[in-house]
Amino acid sequence: MEIFETSIPELELINRGKVRDLYSIDDLILMIATDRLSAFDVVFPDPIPDKGRVLAQLSIFWFRMLEDLVPNHIVETDVDKFPPVLKKHRQILKDRSMLVKRARPLAIECIVRGYITGSGWKDYLKTGSVCGIRLPEGLKESDKLPEPIFTPSTKAELGLHDENISLDQAAEIVGKETFEEVSQLSLEIYKHAAEYALSKGIIIADTKFEFGFIDSRLCLIDEVLTPDSSRFWPLDSYEPGRPQQSFDKQFVRDYLESIDWDKTPPAPHLPPDIIKKTRQRYLDAYRRLTGQELK
Ligand SMILES: Nc1ncnc2c1ncn2[C@@H]1O[C@H](COP(=O)(O)OP(=O)(O)OP(=O)(O)O)[C@@H](O)[C@H]1O
Ligand SMILES: [Mg+2]
């Protein structure tokens, strides 16, 4: 079943993000990953079948793997154990939703880059640095960095784009102590996950984490290490000096660059072939990383 948008009249809708619908339930949040696709921060009118389930199941997979490194917001992922009020929505919720603890999200996005690409590559070409971090000279596009780097960005309001900020700016926004903690944690989590993914033939070029305080404890929240929040590259065709084929939305982005669309809403409909290939990429990333077929 494809889900573009949910409606749960029994609960209060807290937020309809680009991809996730969040509802308030008792003192928890019901977080539902829909099949919406966003690219260039614009939501597309056509859902990508199975995308929401891939995002939810892959996040759950990583949250569990990383549990010893970092606490997370998950309370329940089994729809049959959700509160009775949700019983009649079971079909919609199944495999794409979780009950999570309500967090106070930090006002920065915690990005880690192990390879130089995307906005990092653009900044490097202009300044030789990313977020004020000086990088070696002569790097080629998609090169592996000597060490992964923490490159925070702002969390933009709806309709605006996130912007890279310096480490000092990030420390000012979240406070020095919290900054130290999230930068260290982000790098540790990235290193652990990247090593695992590499053993499955996938390079995690970069990724974005979100952290929030639950009570007074810093926890990993939102989604984690999915094709929406990360660039996954197949190891077997990796070659620096050019952009890489990837499992993320790059494929859709390339298509969008090839048509006459100015990247402002409304987004155009996607051809069935592009939808189909995008779906396959999400499923393929899931299969390779977890070694399982999606339920
Ligand atoms: N445990 C949590 N407590 C509170 N908010 C959360 C929690 N986990 C995730 N969120 C928030 O839920 C939203 C997820 O929805 P979605 O990913 O669709 O948003 P988005 O369009 O990417 O917007 P954003 O730029 O805010 O991430 C995010 O705003 C995220 O910060
Ligand atoms: Mg998001």
Side-chain angles (χ1 to χ4, degrees):
M1 198 185 351
E2 282 165 40
I3 304 287
F4 184 75
E5 198 173 279
T6 63
S7 161
I8 306 205
E10 295 84 355
L11 304 183
E12 180 204 344
L13 178 72
I14 310 174
N15 180 26
R16 216 187 280 291
K18 291 187 284 288
V19 174
R20 266 157 278 274
D21 291 348
L22 273 67
Y23 294 87
S24 174
I25 180 159
D26 305 322
D27 55 349
L28 302 177
I29 292 175
L30 173 66
M31 189 162 91
I32 310 169
T34 71
D35 294 322
R36 293 194 290 271
L37 170 81
S38 80
F40 304 113
D41 288 330
V42 181
V43 178
F44 281 72
D46 308 289
I48 306 294
D50 294 321
K51 175 177 182 282
R53 292 196 303 134
V54 166
L55 298 184
Q57 296 305 307
L58 194 54
S59 290
I60 292 167
F61 171 82
W62 287 116
F63 276 129
R64 293 208 174 117
M65 179 184 297
L66 299 166
E67 208 154 61
D68 293 339
L69 273 182
V70 59
N72 65 59
H73 63 167
I74 291 184
V75 175
E76 186 57 67
T77 59
D78 180 354
V79 70
D80 292 323
K81 294 184 182 151
F82 286 3
V85 58
L86 295 175
K87 216 176 188 112
K88 70 175 202 228
H89 300 289
R90 185 181 184 281
Q91 278 314 103
I92 288 165
L93 298 176
K94 197 174 160 2
D95 300 330
R96 65 169 73 245
S97 54
M98 46 192 117
L99 293 176
V100 301
K101 288 182 200 146
R102 213 181 264 265
R104 277 185 296 121
L106 297 187
I108 58 169
E109 311 253 2
C110 295
I111 298 164
V112 178
R113 299 166 194 273
Y115 295 72
I116 186 85
T117 180
S119 70
W121 172 242
K122 281 190 193 142
D123 290 352
Y124 173 75
L125 284 180
K126 253 187 262 163
T127 66
S129 310
V130 183
C131 293
I133 302 166
R134 193 94 209 143
L135 296 176
E137 274 172 39
L139 288 178
K140 295 197 293 290
E141 182 172 12
S142 309
D143 256 340
K144 186 174 187 196
L145 297 172
E147 271 296 310
I149 54 174
F150 180 69
T151 59
S153 77
T154 56
K155 267 172 79 91
E157 297 295 321
L158 195 69
L160 298 174
H161 301 292
D162 295 343
E163 270 175 47
N164 290 344
I165 49 178
S166 71
L167 302 185
D168 287 343
Q169 281 169 302
E172 215 157 278
I173 294 170
V174 299
K176 191 153 176 30
E177 206 178 309
T178 302
F179 172 82
E180 291 298 334
E181 201 178 336
V182 288
S183 55
Q184 284 316 310
L185 259 179
S186 299
L187 288 166
E188 261 177 66
I189 299 167
Y190 170 81
K191 284 179 196 165
H192 187 86
E195 192 185 346
Y196 169 83
L198 206 59
S199 78
K200 301 290 175 189
I202 289 187
I203 292 172
I204 302 177
D206 53 30
T207 193
K208 178 202 84 176
F209 301 114
E210 282 196 47
F211 291 89
F213 281 103
I214 298 174
D215 302 322
S216 53
R217 209 161 170 220
L218 205 50
C219 296
L220 191 56
I221 64 169
D222 201 51
E223 62 177 333
V224 62
L225 293 153
T226 72
D228 274 10
S229 68
S230 327
R231 284 194 179 84
F232 294 149
W233 295 339
L235 176 63
D236 52 17
S237 59
Y238 171 65
E239 190 184 45
R242 57 164 174 81
Q244 308 301 302
Q245 347 158 349
S246 74
F247 291 98
D248 69 2
K249 291 178 286 188
Q250 196 56 44
F251 175 73
V252 181
R253 291 190 201 109
D254 290 347
Y255 163 75
L256 294 169
E257 298 283 6
S258 77
I259 61 170
D260 186 24
W261 176 53
D262 63 3
K263 297 178 195 159
T264 61
H269 281 285
L270 297 171
D273 180 52
I274 298 289
I275 293 177
K276 192 172 145 210
K277 287 187 175 143
T278 302
R279 170 177 179 268
Q280 277 162 358
R281 278 176 164 70
Y282 277 85
L283 286 171
D284 198 18
Y286 181 83
R287 196 180 295 121
R288 291 208 203 187
L289 284 168
T290 65
Q292 314 242 312
E293 291 297 323
L294 187 70
K295 273 190 272 183

